[in-house]
Amino acid sequence: MASVIPFSVPSAPSAALVRFVALVLSVAAAGCAGNAPDTILINGKVFTADPTQPWAQAIAIRGDRIVGTADTATIVAMAGPSTRTIDVGGRTIIPGINDAHTHISITPPVDRLSLPFNPTINQIADAIRAQIKTTPAGRLIEGEFGDQAWEHPSFTRAWLDSIAPEHPVWLAAFTGHGTLLNSKALAFVGIDEQAPKTEGGEFGRDDRGRLNGRLDEYAESFARRQRAIKTDAAEVARIYRQYASEARAFGITSTQLLGDYLPAVDAAKALVASDTPMRWHYFRFPIVANGETLDSKPPLPPQPSPNVDMRGMKWILDGTPIERLGFNRQPYADAPGKSGRLNLPAARIDLFVGWAYGTEDPLAVHAFGDGAIEAYVAAVERGGTPEVWKQKRPRIEHGDMLAPDLIPRVKAMGMLVVQNPTHFTFPEIFLARYGKERVAWIQPMKSLLDAGIPVAIGSDGPMNPFLNIMAATTHPTNPREALTREQAVSAYTTGAAFAEFKEKEKGRLVVGMLADLAVLSADVFTVPVEQMEGIRSVMTMFGGRIVHETGAIH
């Protein structure tokens, strides 16, 4: 029999005690009325993410909603003859993780190269030579690279053609802000020497004016869209189902897709067809090519099913410091002649900021460097009043270089930050790019919470939320900005729900909220740091239904 976690209330009357008594009375009244819960989870360590009563022992669920969160004895008293009782044996329960910034690659079938992180071009060449021995001609080959390859002068289409003349090869930066394609891959996505004029991106060319295969920013985005639309609709739905299956094992019950390349109308159909136990929020990604803005308007209906929300748009103002495309107010420390690049002019930024101000379409903007962040904040300031913006919650995606002087301006306009803590795991690169003075304030999280700025966490890379929680609570690049574990879990649940205007539906384990939750394999709040990455969900519930279980709970 599992031991019961101590649960106590203050001995002296207090606001917390009054709230607790009110909760006990409300759940008891529910039981007396004959409305017994369908399921109760007892003998747990429940993190409710509710600051007024953050911890409990047990949860009662009826239908898809939580009807009680209290100590085990109180919840057991609510049970009826047909109530299912699940004893979690002291395990930690948290609200379902809501990944506030992720991407799902939509592509026709590909063979992926086996490469180390940040490979050399020789390692890439060897991997391609090995792969083409088994990959049929015409089938895509894909691999990832880092700054070592990107900065090499030989890293071009001609080099890639010499290795794989008969196979389309697509090499992508792990940052998502640079691509090298060989001639077959360019042809595969319909890009020739008359490449379309894209706003905010460049198709690289050699000394003779011929495409060199290097694409960045919106040029790369255009190519990715061309690839995505060649993917069969049934395959797209399968990809979404596979993602949702893997996510459930981590306790992820909601995900926000930020700027994926499939046109929003096609994504909406595929998400509905996938019919997964996942709450999806898809932000479309407008791309300007040859003067036409693709995906500039939201699809109809904006909510094609109860679990799919297609409202919102994402724009990208700069790249990242890895390839020195993040736009800074001061030059890079290791490249004094470079400050990065602002992808879009002020007029274009004003245009989409104005669209968000005048509609109910949420706005999310990738802004990494302090120059890009300031350009976005200035456009928001020009575009409307703080009172209105606070209701619209404009999002800064990443905001790694959100400088101290910009924090009060972000706060004043009601903006929020969606951060990706895996970005914190490159301290050597950031120190080289920015120097000690700027590294002392980059990638703020604690400072934002202290200033009253809402913070959400998204993966923007590896799906594992516990890897991101580990990075958020250790912060290898700037330890003074590390969060507590409770703050990090809250940012991944309540913060993420607030970022998508869903804080009244999910993100906390309290009465009336959706019963989305995860029972963890280890206590994320106390486990040694080195073990945090290995945490998984042993039971995931979605709307009160068990959608994943490992058999660890009997």
Side-chain angles (χ1 to χ4, degrees):
M1 181 75 177
S3 60
V4 175
I5 297 173
F7 187 94
S8 61
V9 296
S11 57
S14 66
L17 177 57
V18 171
R19 285 190 296 267
F20 174 77
V21 172
L23 175 59
V24 171
L25 291 175
S26 69
V27 296
C32 291
N35 296 321
D38 300 320
T39 303
I40 60 173
L41 281 66
I42 63 171
N43 293 330
K45 179 182 176 181
V46 180
F47 180 66
T48 69
D50 179 2
T52 66
Q53 186 71 41
W55 300 99
Q57 284 183 319
I59 301 171
I61 299 166
R62 185 167 59 246
D64 65 350
R65 301 282 168 167
I66 294 172
V67 294
T69 305
D71 64 290
T72 290
T74 299
I75 297 301
V76 168
M78 295 177 63
S82 60
T83 298
R84 179 185 186 184
T85 300
I86 301 175
D87 188 332
V88 302
R91 294 185 182 275
T92 297
I93 304 175
I94 63 172
I97 294 288
N98 183 343
D99 192 329
H101 184 121
T102 192
H103 305 282
I104 298 177
S105 179
I106 302 300
T107 178
V110 301
D111 288 341
R112 302 191 186 278
L113 298 174
S114 177
L115 289 167
F117 180 73
N118 200 9
T120 66
I121 64 168
N122 289 335
Q123 288 173 319
I124 295 172
D126 290 343
I128 294 172
R129 292 188 183 103
Q131 188 62 54
I132 61 177
K133 293 178 181 179
T134 57
T135 297
R139 182 180 171 94
L140 274 171
I141 296 173
E142 186 176 55
E144 280 194 350
F145 61 85
D147 62 313
Q148 274 199 108
W150 187 251
E151 294 181 359
H152 200 288
S154 297
F155 196 62
T156 63
R157 166 190 181 183
W159 168 78
L160 204 50
D161 283 348
S162 70
I163 302 167
E166 301 301 327
H167 293 76
V169 180
W170 188 296
L171 300 178
F174 72 84
T175 64
H177 291 264
T179 297
L180 176 66
L181 307 183
N182 69 353
S183 295
K184 289 289 187 180
L186 288 168
F188 183 82
V189 292
I191 296 175
D192 57 21
E193 295 300 329
Q194 286 71 50
K197 180 177 176 55
T198 57
E199 182 181 57
E202 293 183 0
F203 291 93
R205 295 185 180 272
D206 60 24
D207 294 339
R208 297 177 296 166
R210 186 170 179 265
L211 290 176
N212 66 10
R214 292 169 65 108
L215 289 65
D216 69 30
E217 299 302 288
Y218 277 88
E220 175 190 17
S221 300
F222 177 83
R224 286 183 180 272
R225 171 154 296 175
Q226 293 294 99
R227 184 177 70 169
I229 62 178
K230 296 173 74 71
T231 309
D232 180 75
E235 173 66 7
V236 177
R238 186 200 66 79
I239 291 171
Y240 287 144
R241 282 193 293 270
Q242 178 179 335
Y243 171 90
S245 176
E246 294 173 3
R248 292 194 292 274
F250 286 110
I252 299 171
T253 54
S254 294
T255 194
Q256 300 172 43
L257 297 175
L258 266 293
D260 283 1
Y261 301 100
L262 194 68
V265 65
D266 297 326
K269 294 175 182 177
L271 287 169
V272 172
S274 70
D275 191 25
T276 56
M278 174 70 68
R279 305 191 197 282
W280 305 92
H281 196 143
Y282 193 97
F283 285 69
R284 72 188 185 283
F285 185 30
I287 299 173
V288 179
N290 287 338
E292 179 185 1
T293 304
L294 311 174
D295 245 0
S296 61
K297 298 295 176 68
L300 294 175
Q303 292 175 283
S305 80
N307 293 333
V308 178
D309 191 334
M310 302 300 295
R311 294 173 296 184
M313 58 179 167
K314 180 196 177 184
W315 295 79
I316 298 179
L317 291 192
D318 64 347
T320 84
I322 305 298
E323 61 283 321
R324 297 189 187 85
L325 288 176
F327 180 57
N328 306 317
R329 295 184 289 188
Q330 300 296 324
Y332 285 100
D334 59 354
K338 294 183 178 180
S339 296
R341 187 179 82 218
L342 191 64
N343 290 339
L344 303 172
R348 169 62 71 179
I349 301 172
D350 286 341
L351 190 65
F352 66 69
V353 166
W355 173 269
Y357 191 78
T359 70
E360 296 303 315
D361 212 16
L363 177 62
V365 176
H366 167 118
F368 198 108
D370 56 349
I373 297 169
E374 184 174 44
Y376 175 31
V377 174
V380 170
E381 291 169 337
R382 289 192 300 270
T385 67
E387 293 75 20
V388 175
W389 279 124
K390 287 176 182 177
Q391 299 174 32
K392 294 183 176 293
R393 306 176 190 175
R395 297 166 50 141
I396 301 173
E397 304 299 318
H398 317 310
D400 289 58
M401 292 289 287
L402 181 50
D405 66 296
L406 297 174
I407 289 177
R409 294 169 64 183
V410 168
K411 167 68 173 174
M413 301 310 293
M415 305 176 80
L416 61 91
V417 176
V418 179
Q419 185 52 274
N420 318 105
T422 51
H423 292 188
F424 306 165
T425 59
F426 305 101
E428 296 85 2
I429 291 178
F430 283 108
L431 182 61
R433 296 289 189 267
Y434 295 122
K436 290 183 179 180
E437 184 176 344
R438 281 183 285 185
V439 164
W441 54 257
I442 68 171
Q443 297 173 328
M445 290 194 83
K446 182 179 184 298
S447 294
L448 300 182
L449 291 179
D450 290 346
I453 294 172
V455 174
I457 289 179
S459 60
D460 194 36
M463 181 189 294
N464 187 346
F466 304 102
L467 176 64
N468 278 281
I469 292 170
M470 181 177 71
T473 55
T474 57
H475 208 314
T477 298
N478 189 1
R480 72 180 68 186
E481 288 295 338
L483 300 182
T484 67
R485 298 190 187 193
E486 290 82 359
Q487 287 173 328
V489 173
S490 293
Y492 238 137
T493 54
T494 56
F498 184 84
E500 60 166 338
F501 297 86
K502 300 291 177 63
E503 73 275 13
K504 294 181 180 179
E505 289 285 302
K506 57 187 177 181
R508 293 177 295 148
L509 298 179
V510 298
V511 174
M513 292 290 201
L514 288 164
D516 296 353
L517 58 86
V519 183
L520 304 183
S521 61
D523 185 0
V524 67
F525 303 102
T526 61
V527 72
V529 169
E530 63 273 13
Q531 297 176 23
M532 196 178 298
E533 184 180 353
I535 295 175
R536 297 293 184 271
S537 174
V538 298
M539 187 177 78
T540 303
M541 297 189 77
F542 177 84
R545 294 185 293 121
I546 297 174
V547 295
H548 166 80
E549 56 184 332
T550 64
I553 298 174
H554 301 286

